[in-house]
Amino acid sequence: MKKITILFLFLSVNLTYAQIPNELSKEEKVFGLSTFWQEVNYNYIYFNKINQLEWNKLYTKYIGEVQETENDYEYYRLLQKFCAYLKDGHTNVWFPKEIRDSVFNTNFGAYRLFLTNVDGKAIITRVNESKKAEIPIGTEIVSVNGMAAQQYISEQVRPYISSSTDYIREDLAVTYMLEGYAGTTYQLELKEPNGKIKSLAVTHAKTKEREVFPAFEEKDVLDLKWYENDIAYLALNSFSDWNVSMQFVEKIPELQKAKALIVDLRNNGGGNSRIGKVILHHLTNDTIFYGPKMQSRVHIPTLKAWNRDEYYHDFPYSPDTLGIGDRNLLKTSRIVVPTVILVGNGTASAAEDFLIYADNQKHMTKIGEPTYGSTGQPLLFELPNGGIARVCTKKDTYPDGKEFVGVGIQPDIAVTKGLSDYIENKDPALETAIGYLNEKK
């Protein structure tokens, strides 16, 4: 019986690989690797922070390895591993669409499993509705394919994660620890919140059941809710579209009734920094706003010949000063009340720039967890057969040069979501914000 099982698993793996695109020639694979290596060499803003000798040795090593990859999926995985060496959240490699459409993370046919890093453990924090009794929220993944979960993450997942901060790499490694191509099977050992141990075999396939538990809250780019004592809750979930700014302006008459305000940026992955800055104009009495300082690399061949090839362009810096017209316009549209800004690991890029503009506002307090710790201007370019990569070309800092990329912007009041909060579906940061504002009033 054991021999039959092993043979079946062997056949299923080979059938899976037979379905994976395998179109790239060895020459195309080397070209794609070299394209990424070259763009990093010329344009990556933090190139001076990496060990360049080790980077080139890795490139030389991968010239041989990419040619031996079994298929296009494994090739792109190796490119992602090469990229992860840079440890930057705005420098990435993505699969071609044909592959991307067949790579699953939470879908396992009869099951949907959403994983979160909770106190260094891989915890199931959402499942499809029909499985909530079978797999309780708070269940821990103890092992994967016979390997302890942390060892599996360390060897099979983390080396492929590109991010600027250690804690985001840990978060993403747990979130994507079961990502794989359609047909990939995992043997899981689970530990339920009550301590019970059980096994579960899952295989990546589309899940028809869309309902999950706990249910996802419907989110628009802007959400406005009210809590007791005239506390307004304003979620700004993106700065990618000017529509969020227009929606905000429409809400101003209602927001002016607030005696306290919560601005939630925890799900804001960024976009256009100008959008956040325009919104912030309404949330303070200031007329001068100090945003991030910016820097990029400059290529001057003669300097390189003189062994002075590290040369940088500092973009002209000046604070954003509101003109008389803007000041008059804002006289009747400001909402300056005790304000909490909710921040977390998902607060990234342009949302972090918003926090720089809002820095040192005495009526504003940041509550939650450290931010994503990555921003910049990515350079996008194509890789063989439809793959896409990007390289970060711009360094942003606080006006005084203080760095937040790689360390994150820290909250004034730290609040972490623990295991019991996930099991009870609580939001401790929001609860802390409400309590804090009630005390301030």
Side-chain angles (χ1 to χ4, degrees), residues 212-232:
V212 298
F213 175 82
F216 284 110
E217 184 179 350
E218 291 292 331
K219 294 184 185 297
D220 197 353
V221 291
L222 182 150
D223 288 315
L224 176 60
K225 296 188 290 190
W226 289 87
Y227 291 95
E228 291 183 2
N229 300 323
D230 297 317
I231 297 176

Side-chain angles (χ1 to χ4, degrees), residues 425-440:
N425 198 23
K426 289 184 175 181
D427 187 341
L430 178 58
E431 292 175 3
T432 300
I434 294 171
Y436 174 85
L437 290 173
N438 279 322
E439 290 179 3
K440 295 283 287 186

Side-chain angles (χ1 to χ4, degrees), residues 112 114 127-130 208-215:
R112 288 197 77 191
F114 296 82
V127 297
N128 46 322
E129 180 75 27
S130 65
K208 295 180 180 179
E209 182 183 3
R210 306 320 301 166
E211 295 78 14
V212 298
F213 175 82

Side-chain angles (χ1 to χ4, degrees), residues 92-142:
N92 307 92
V93 172
W94 291 299
F95 296 116
K97 186 177 186 304
E98 183 180 2
I99 295 177
R100 192 165 62 247
D101 289 346
S102 296
V103 173
F104 298 111
N105 183 38
T106 66
N107 284 252
F108 296 93
Y111 295 88
R112 288 197 77 191
L113 305 177
F114 296 82
L115 307 181
T116 303
N117 176 24
V118 182
D119 298 327
K121 298 178 180 179
I123 302 296
I124 297 173
T125 52
R126 272 193 175 85
V127 297
N128 46 322
E129 180 75 27
S130 65
K131 300 298 182 181
K132 65 181 181 181
E134 179 183 346
I135 305 178
I137 301 303
T139 295
E140 177 187 354
I141 295 183
V142 178

Side-chain angles (χ1 to χ4, degrees), residues 226-246:
W226 289 87
Y227 291 95
E228 291 183 2
N229 300 323
D230 297 317
I231 297 176
Y233 167 90
L234 179 70
L236 301 174
N237 296 318
S238 174
F239 290 145
S240 295
D241 191 325
W242 278 101
N243 183 49
V244 67
S245 177
M246 292 185 286

